[in-house]
Amino acid sequence: MRRILACLCAASLTAAAAHAQDLPPPPPAPPGPGAPVQVEQTVQRFIANPNGDVDTLILGDGTQVPVPPPVGNALANERHATLSIHGSRLADAPVIVPDSIREGSRDWLANAPAPVPPAAPPALAPMKASGRVAEVLFGPRGEANGVLLTDGTVVRVPPHAALAQPNLLVKGASFSASGFGVANGGQRALQAVSIGTTPSSEQAITPPPPPPPVTAGQAPMTPPR
């Protein structure tokens, strides 16, 4: 009887280990509070999302600053060069989450421009991109969510896919993607549906895993944006 129980326990442990290997990587942990910081920097590049809206600033030292699209679009349209930014610098990513973005006496976050609806929603077209990674892009939680290629193309990648293939989202790495997006103001941006090191090696991005069930008295987990 003891031998049977021992065999059953060993089989259960083996099955559990095999199941654990098949599970997708866990979502990134929520960022810490970050270190308060105030910088005055030149904006080096305005990063658009696949809808053509600017949602990230890259400063002269490479720091990334996520911004609401109305603010990003206004800054890009007016080409403000130097901004004073106060916020929190994340520990695990080159990101400042801004509390204020000032130009002189104006705080662009406190007095954000009203969103301007386009005359027609942008038509997302099938797009392909390949090249070398110039910069890895990050979200406001510090999660990798895309790349900027050396030709200026922006490729957004869902965070769970970036976690599953971390060797692809590395500065200087070969990168290829297919997806849908827009070319706006000379910048191409797409949402990837498949990624790889070359066009022939691209693999389709699978949907993210469902969140774990919420037990009584437990707050639901918030998935990364």
Side-chain angles (χ1 to χ4, degrees):
M1 184 66 178
R2 290 180 179 176
R3 184 174 297 175
I4 294 173
L5 290 175
C7 290
L8 289 174
C9 289
S12 297
L13 290 174
T14 301
H19 178 65
Q21 292 178 352
D22 294 336
L23 291 175
V37 66
Q38 183 167 351
V39 300
E40 189 165 319
Q41 282 277 342
T42 300
V43 178
Q44 182 183 62
R45 187 180 288 268
F46 300 90
I47 301 297
N49 61 28
N51 291 319
D53 293 315
V54 173
D55 64 3
T56 303
L57 313 178
I58 296 185
L59 305 182
D61 65 355
T63 299
Q64 299 177 31
V65 182
V67 293
V71 172
N73 291 338
L75 290 171
N77 289 336
E78 299 184 26
R79 292 289 164 183
H80 297 281
T82 303
L83 299 171
S84 179
I85 300 170
H86 180 273
S88 299
R89 187 184 297 275
L90 300 186
D92 299 326
V95 174
I96 293 177
V97 179
D99 295 322
S100 67
I101 299 177
R102 291 187 175 275
E103 185 204 10
S105 60
R106 177 170 185 174
D107 186 339
W108 281 91
L109 292 184
N111 301 283
V116 178
L124 303 184
M127 298 177 69
K128 295 180 179 292
S130 61
R132 294 281 179 180
V133 175
E135 297 288 346
V136 179
L137 301 177
F138 296 90
R141 297 168 59 91
E143 74 282 9
N145 66 2
V147 296
L148 171 68
L149 300 182
T150 52
D151 69 355
T153 300
V154 174
V155 182
R156 297 291 188 175
V157 178
H160 74 279
L163 282 172
Q165 301 193 60
N167 60 309
L168 290 180
L169 277 74
V170 177
K171 192 171 182 177
S174 296
F175 189 92
S176 180
S178 299
F180 296 87
V182 297
N184 184 21
Q187 186 175 74
R188 300 172 71 240
L190 66 143
Q191 181 68 45
V193 297
S194 64
I195 55 176
T197 56
T198 63
S200 61
S201 70
E202 288 182 21
Q203 296 183 352
I205 295 175
T206 58
V214 178
T215 58
Q218 179 184 7
M221 294 182 63
T222 302
R225 291 182 288 177

